[in-house]
Amino acid sequence: MENSKLKVFIPFFNLIWSDDLLTQKEHLIIKDFIQVQNWLTINEKEFLASQIAISNPPSRIVLTTWKSEIDKAIAQNPRVQSIFDIVLELSNNDILIKGLATDFIQLENDLGILGEEVVSNFKKNATTFTSTHHSAPTFEIAKLTQILDGKQSAIIQKVKAIISRPEFAYETSTDTAIYREKVYEWCKILADENLGNMAYPKKYGGGENIADYFAIMETLSYHDLSLVIKFGVQFGLWGMSIHSLGTEKHYQKYLKDIGTLKLPGCFAMSETNHGSNVKGLETTATYNHKDKTFLIHTPHEKAQKEYIGNAAVHGQMATVFAKLIIDEVDYGVNAFVVPLRDENNVILKGITIKDCGLKMGLNGVDNGIIRFDNVIIPKDNMLDRFASINDQGKFESPIPSDNRRFFTMLGTLVGGRIGIPRSALAAAKSGLTIAIKYSDKRKQFGPEGGEEVSILNYRMHQRRLFPLLAKTYAIHFALQYVTTRFIERTELEMPEIEALAAGMKAYATWNTTATLQECREACGGKGYLSENRIGALKNDTEIYTTFEGDNTVLMQLVAKNRLAEFRKTYGKMDAMGIISYVYENTKTVIAEKNPIVTRKTDEAHLLDSAFHLSAFEYREKTILASAAKRLKKLIIGGLEPYDAFNVVQHQMIDVAQAYLDRIVLEQFVKALESFEDPQSKVIVAKLSQLYALSQIEKNKGWYLEDGYLEPVKTKAIRKMVNQLCWELRPEAVSLVNAFAIPDSCLAAPIVM
Amino acid sequence: MENSKLKVFIPFFNLIWSDDLLTQKEHLIIKDFIQVQNWLTINEKEFLASQIAISNPPSRIVLTTWKSEIDKAIAQNPRVQSIFDIVLELSNNDILIKGLATDFIQLENDLGILGEEVVSNFKKNATTFTSTHHSAPTFEIAKLTQILDGKQSAIIQKVKAIISRPEFAYETSTDTAIYREKVYEWCKILADENLGNMAYPKKYGGGENIADYFAIMETLSYHDLSLVIKFGVQFGLWGMSIHSLGTEKHYQKYLKDIGTLKLPGCFAMSETNHGSNVKGLETTATYNHKDKTFLIHTPHEKAQKEYIGNAAVHGQMATVFAKLIIDEVDYGVNAFVVPLRDENNVILKGITIKDCGLKMGLNGVDNGIIRFDNVIIPKDNMLDRFASINDQGKFESPIPSDNRRFFTMLGTLVGGRIGIPRSALAAAKSGLTIAIKYSDKRKQFGPEGGEEVSILNYRMHQRRLFPLLAKTYAIHFALQYVTTRFIERTELEMPEIEALAAGMKAYATWNTTATLQECREACGGKGYLSENRIGALKNDTEIYTTFEGDNTVLMQLVAKNRLAEFRKTYGKMDAMGIISYVYENTKTVIAEKNPIVTRKTDEAHLLDSAFHLSAFEYREKTILASAAKRLKKLIIGGLEPYDAFNVVQHQMIDVAQAYLDRIVLEQFVKALESFEDPQSKVIVAKLSQLYALSQIEKNKGWYLEDGYLEPVKTKAIRKMVNQLCWELRPEAVSLVNAFAIPDSCLAAPIVM
């Protein structure tokens, strides 16, 4: 194509043969265009048409020549803005072609080519700002680690040192028997290191340090999660049930041996037919005053104790929850110590134990099904802190209501609902560390002609991982708070703390499930290989949303507690009461709910924690008041309360969710205030902003429905979430490194 | 308490000692209330105070007596509405007590007791409407199954019969080697039944029936998913790569043996460093014209072929994708048949194969890593449908652009992106069948004093499962549509069909991941036991969101395709163009976007599929136009297109999502129109309404931001979603039974 006038068609020919987005239709458009150009001779037209005939593709060499002509044109005038600019260059600024500007631009439009993009692609600029973003932290990792570990730093260091020893190398056998024994051996090492009995009184060999106990649970969770659960069953559930429900005589008899793992035991509450509704347990403990014994019995198959950890292989005793029967009167569910195996691990008479078999995860824990066939235990085996039988064989209890007594007993066991979310938190941290470090290293795609780009530079990838990183940081501080509240609890605060722990258990474990899901997908095929550990983390924590209380059931408990609190404060429930409730303590709300504020979108405002807290509080209070109002209306309207609660069940979950969101943000903001390292404070503050704004974004439907936010503001929030993600990109690897998870625990080859 | 005046305090005492929601504060309120009652003597006041002293709890018998007094009072007047009504009854309508109405009601308020609820709880009405809801289908299951199976009914029956045979009993060994052999044996049985070669030409022993082939893939997915993937690798990826990329000589040589599984093979595309960006593959195929051979070579470790199914144990050959090099010129990625093992399964010289090791799931598939060390293959082994080397040793191709040629080759393999989502669909159906049937049988909690209630009667449980059931039905019809489009495709439609298949692959597999997660949680601990199969379904399908194209990457492809379509139609991109684009074909939109319609909430309107379709289309078009506008603005503003696409990446995913939502709804509505069974049509129509409304609810933030819906309408939609769930409850078990999954495949003991 020596004729420079014909050359002007090169960009179009190139597009036709290279761009797979152009179809027959566009083909025809160019053909028609050529036909109507009066300045072309018939021969020229024929020649041009032949260049785009489907039956006659250009050779690879011709294509390369065209491309180099275009490149030359762009080199001559790097400021070309449209295809027509290139056309002009190719024609050497031919005056005739210049006069065809309108026609050519029309052609570009007809082809639907976004001119600037096509031209930019021709330019092949390999150094885009997306390509050049990279890790460049602005804070000292060790300082942030110190802040996260806080007062538990020493015990955390100790645990990390232990689980990094060679004997803690992961078990890779798929043989469950081998895996279970390995986990048991690990537990023994931990017991020998005095970690198991950390929460028990010093009198019984313990460390009397509950805060350290929870830190141990969390830190162990960087390692194998079967180990953590086996550890928790033995020292937490089994040991603490003795400590919380028993009395001195039980402590003396059992606690030391439990703490050293000389006496492996179980916590036998759940039954096949009663997992969540434990009030309905059917196992019986029938008192025989003549012999001063109890007869422990499983009335039918579906009343067997199920999923009991430590039962299938190692447990020698169990705290068994059973209905106490005296003289044919049912005194509700109480707790009893029942031997299962002798010291040689032989199952005792009357006890039948089945293995639960393979599970999705946690296969290092020997869960079993226990059946009792008229097993006789001595009277002293009743854990009698809350109820007992006197010398006359009569029932005695300071809590006359059977229900209330049972729930009081359960309340003393709330520690398990702190250990589990803290373990879940650690698993989320492991997953994020693996996924973020891998995504930083992994490169895929890139600008035309440029190097491939770290996938962590892609906005969508940031969007998938960073809000979860922010939420995980938020939950870290919230669980610190719950732990402190639990340790410093008074009797009066118990209902609140129980609800808080139940709620945070659900909140943290759901976050872990969601986080690990995203981490697996973010690591692609590598995330699917067992060696990279996300699979184990996912499968082991999968049941966290179910055990220690099904999350959905727990959220309803939380909501009922919030409702009860609400009613106590605003008994009258008239319209003004509700309004004043919503606005009380949400001081800025009234001021904010005017068009200037609902539409306020400046950066300082959007990033202001006062705005975030107001928004969270407002949502919490409004949802709670509205659920209360709706319930009242339904019941007054004639519904049974049971039906009414069912009708609003979905709203109840929102009540709990909004309450927990507020607690979590509040504690995050509070924790930040006490940060002494200014560099890490700046970055973690960005995480708190990201947490707050991505939660608001998630709930934008609600905020828009309510009118608290207007569209212009929710859109600005979405952009701000993107911006925060982008700004956090260079810090992300350091933010996960601050979790300081031992390499031997992470173990994933993709991040080594 | 014989004094009937004192009796009036019984309800309050009962609450104090039984209700664990009452705390010290309320305790004091009652105490104070008693103190100020002037009609009581000092002795009476003291007596009453003693009844609530914390140091002196009532005996269990006293508590029971109080309760029976209350029961008696309610029995006398079952219409009591408040605690004060009970108080009056207990006083035998004492005139003095009557006069104290204001005081007592104030007390109730101060205690924050929602009177009606407390009273209802006292009433212990055991027959609530929540309790009595149950399965009661209104349609014939077999008729719906027939509609779902359609023309593929015969082959589906055949496959079901085969996988129900005793030799298809699930493998329970955790030993990978045993599992892999079992899966291989199963594949051989299927090959013997002529299922593997179903899509191949009759000339080479095949069934020449692509529709049946996809139905086979889907139906096999009710059984072990390792089997499906192994089957798909052999007959789909390996066989179809020969069929799609090779020519007659390859068909003759290989197709028959592939179809009978005499020749097990692999599809070796992915490399460690190039999983998604396969254009960047680094394996080389260097042509030697003297010997008429290629040298296949892996230049470095990260260029190894990775995750290759059938490679670790059984594969004897592989279709290898490698850059073709002739005379030091790179001609882009092409495909070559490379032998890996001899007939005795001995690995050939120059080939190194490593086992990928344990994975989260699909451990019955032998994935491996393949390295080539200067492996020589004859010239004929180049799959030469799209490119070849002529007798002069020169490159020839009808597609001059290397990129375009490679993407054309990939396009011919799009069938894999139909097989995978259809397999995912079957897995979702299995999970829903298990979870819904179990939830129907499983009872937990219930009204005070009543029987426990099927957990499927709980609104939240319905909310968790039924929208996913609806979406799964929706996807069923959408995948039928995609399959038909694929089978009946013309060249011109290929870009659209490729995008559609890529998008539906992402849409269906994400739905499966979400569905199985919810199913696991809905089944609680039972869902965690391997015997109940949700674990295997979850873990096996986990990688579906990654393989055959990472979902997020695919969604961006879809969005780019939509954008290209948009530009072709509306090249000018001026404001009026965009507006007319949005409104075109969304005929009712202009009419609807006025306050009467944005607020329209009557049931008929909310359930009207015309409303649903308009809402979906409007969202699709608006998001697409807005993304196009934003991109243009960014690029005109000076951003490199690569950066601009990164900035809007999040929006691009929305573009694809909205497009797929619309396709899925459209096909669901279309499929319903042709339902010939009126009973099942009524019920499946409810599913389509639930699908549509729950998607709108999920996106209500967007609709409110846009103004297409107003708060009053989004709230009405939420209620309607709840209502539809409730109405579908009696049909749910039958709706999953209509999937007609063989019992031997479901296998879960919890539903047997």
Side-chain angles (χ1 to χ4, degrees), chain A residues 478 481 500 504 658-668:
Chain A
Y481 165 72
L500 185 61
M504 282 306 301
Y659 161 68
L660 294 164
D661 280 342
R662 190 264 302 165
I663 293 275
V664 171
L665 178 65
E666 208 167 68
Q667 293 308 316
F668 200 170

Side-chain angles (χ1 to χ4, degrees), chain A residues 251-288:
Chain A
Y251 303 169
Q252 279 181 21
K253 204 165 167 187
Y254 304 120
L255 267 191
K256 200 173 165 203
D257 288 349
I258 295 174
T260 59
L261 195 45
K262 199 181 145 198
L263 182 60
C266 314
F267 180 84
M269 184 181 301
S270 300
E271 294 174 1
T272 307
N273 264 357
H274 291 93
S276 293
N277 186 18
V278 283
K279 208 175 74 179
L281 294 176
E282 294 172 283
T283 303
T284 51
T286 309
Y287 182 59
N288 177 337

Side-chain angles (χ1 to χ4, degrees), chain A residues 112-399:
Chain A
I113 311 163
L114 182 58
E116 301 80 11
E117 187 194 338
V118 173
V119 172
S120 298
N121 275 335
F122 279 144
K123 286 188 192 170
K124 271 194 188 182
N125 191 336
T127 53
T128 64
F129 73 78
T130 299
S131 326
T132 54
H133 217 24
H134 62 280
S135 285
T138 56
F139 66 95
E140 219 174 296
I141 294 170
K143 283 188 180 164
L144 181 52
T145 305
Q146 182 55 49
I147 292 169
L148 293 173
D149 291 354
K151 287 183 195 149
Q152 267 57 55
S153 187
I155 190 75
I156 291 172
Q157 295 308 318
K158 181 178 171 180
V159 174
K160 283 181 183 170
I162 294 170
I163 56 180
S164 299
R165 291 184 202 157
E167 58 265 39
F168 277 87
Y170 288 118
E171 179 57 61
T172 55
S173 171
T174 57
D175 182 325
T176 299
I178 293 172
Y179 187 16
R180 287 170 172 184
E181 282 313 306
K182 175 59 74 70
V183 167
Y184 189 51
E185 290 308 314
W186 285 336
C187 281
K188 279 193 203 154
I189 298 172
L190 300 175
D192 290 346
E193 295 283 352
N194 279 310
L195 297 179
N197 55 17
M198 186 56 81
Y200 304 165
K202 288 193 174 152
K203 198 172 160 188
Y204 307 106
E208 223 168 282
N209 188 331
I210 299 172
D212 272 10
Y213 177 76
F214 286 122
I216 293 167
M217 279 287 285
E218 183 173 321
T219 311
L220 283 178
S221 302
Y222 292 138
H223 192 256
D224 186 291
L225 295 171
S226 285
L227 168 60
V228 180
I229 299 308
K230 183 95 171 174
F231 182 94
V233 165
Q234 171 67 20
F235 305 111
L237 292 176
W238 161 230
M240 292 308 289
S241 65
I242 298 294
H243 189 234
S244 301
L245 306 178
T247 48
E248 196 61 29
K249 64 185 172 212
H250 304 109
Y251 303 169
Q252 279 181 21
K253 204 165 167 187
Y254 304 120
L255 267 191
K256 200 173 165 203
D257 288 349
I258 295 174
T260 59
L261 195 45
K262 199 181 145 198
L263 182 60
C266 314
F267 180 84
M269 184 181 301
S270 300
E271 294 174 1
T272 307
N273 264 357
H274 291 93
S276 293
N277 186 18
V278 283
K279 208 175 74 179
L281 294 176
E282 294 172 283
T283 303
T284 51
T286 309
Y287 182 59
N288 177 337
H289 190 51
K290 208 176 66 187
D291 301 342
K292 304 253 160 58
T293 56
F294 295 101
L295 207 65
I296 307 292
H297 189 64
T298 305
H300 58 86
E301 205 192 347
K302 296 292 179 88
Q304 293 180 135
K305 295 296 176 184
E306 196 171 8
Y307 315 117
I308 309 303
N310 239 352
V313 180
H314 297 117
Q316 291 178 12
M317 284 195 180
T319 294
V320 174
F321 290 81
K323 286 195 296 187
L324 170 62
I325 312 285
I326 310 174
D327 296 333
E328 293 179 15
V329 177
D330 178 349
Y331 289 85
V333 177
N334 286 272
F336 306 85
V337 174
V338 184
L340 301 176
R341 292 182 173 85
D342 65 17
E343 281 172 19
N344 302 316
N345 229 28
V346 177
I347 292 175
L348 299 171
K349 202 177 143 267
I351 309 278
T352 313
I353 297 179
K354 276 182 288 186
D355 199 312
C356 285
L358 211 62
K359 307 181 296 278
M360 270 189 79
L362 296 180
N363 281 305
V365 183
D366 53 319
N367 295 87
I369 298 168
I370 311 176
R371 180 167 193 149
F372 304 98
D373 184 12
N374 291 305
V375 174
I376 295 167
I377 56 164
K379 187 186 169 207
D380 273 356
N381 282 24
M382 177 170 177
L383 293 173
D384 56 356
R385 178 170 162 205
F386 294 101
S388 59
I389 296 172
N390 65 17
D391 292 343
Q392 289 72 49
K394 298 295 174 206
F395 181 82
E396 281 185 348
S397 169
I399 308 172

Side-chain angles (χ1 to χ4, degrees), chain B residues 569-582:
Chain B
T569 324
Y570 295 87
K572 288 192 183 164
M573 298 276 293
D574 60 18
M576 276 317 292
I578 286 166
I579 291 166
S580 72
Y581 168 76
V582 170

Side-chain angles (χ1 to χ4, degrees), chain A residues 109 111 257 422 508 538 686:
Chain A
N109 276 330
L111 289 171
D257 288 349
R422 290 193 56 172
K538 248 179 128 277
K686 278 190 202 292

Side-chain angles (χ1 to χ4, degrees), chain A residues 360 464 513-529 534-536 538-539 542, chain B residues 225 229 359-362 420 423-424 427 505-506 508-517 534-551:
Chain A
M360 270 189 79
R464 292 169 79 178
T513 301
T515 298
L516 292 171
Q517 181 64 42
E518 213 58 69
C519 289
R520 206 296 297 155
E521 292 183 37
C523 292
K526 287 288 183 192
Y528 198 60
L529 300 179
I534 294 180
K538 248 179 128 277
N539 282 333
E542 174 62 43
Chain B
L225 295 172
I229 299 308
K359 306 180 297 278
M360 269 189 80
L362 297 180
I420 291 302
S423 171
K505 183 269 182 186
T509 57
W510 267 331
N511 175 61
T512 295
T513 301
T515 298
L516 291 171
Q517 181 64 41
I534 293 181
L537 289 165
K538 250 181 127 270
N539 282 333
D540 290 343
T541 56
E542 174 62 45
I543 197 64
Y544 281 39
T545 55
T546 297
F547 69 14
E548 278 286 342
D550 174 89
N551 279 6

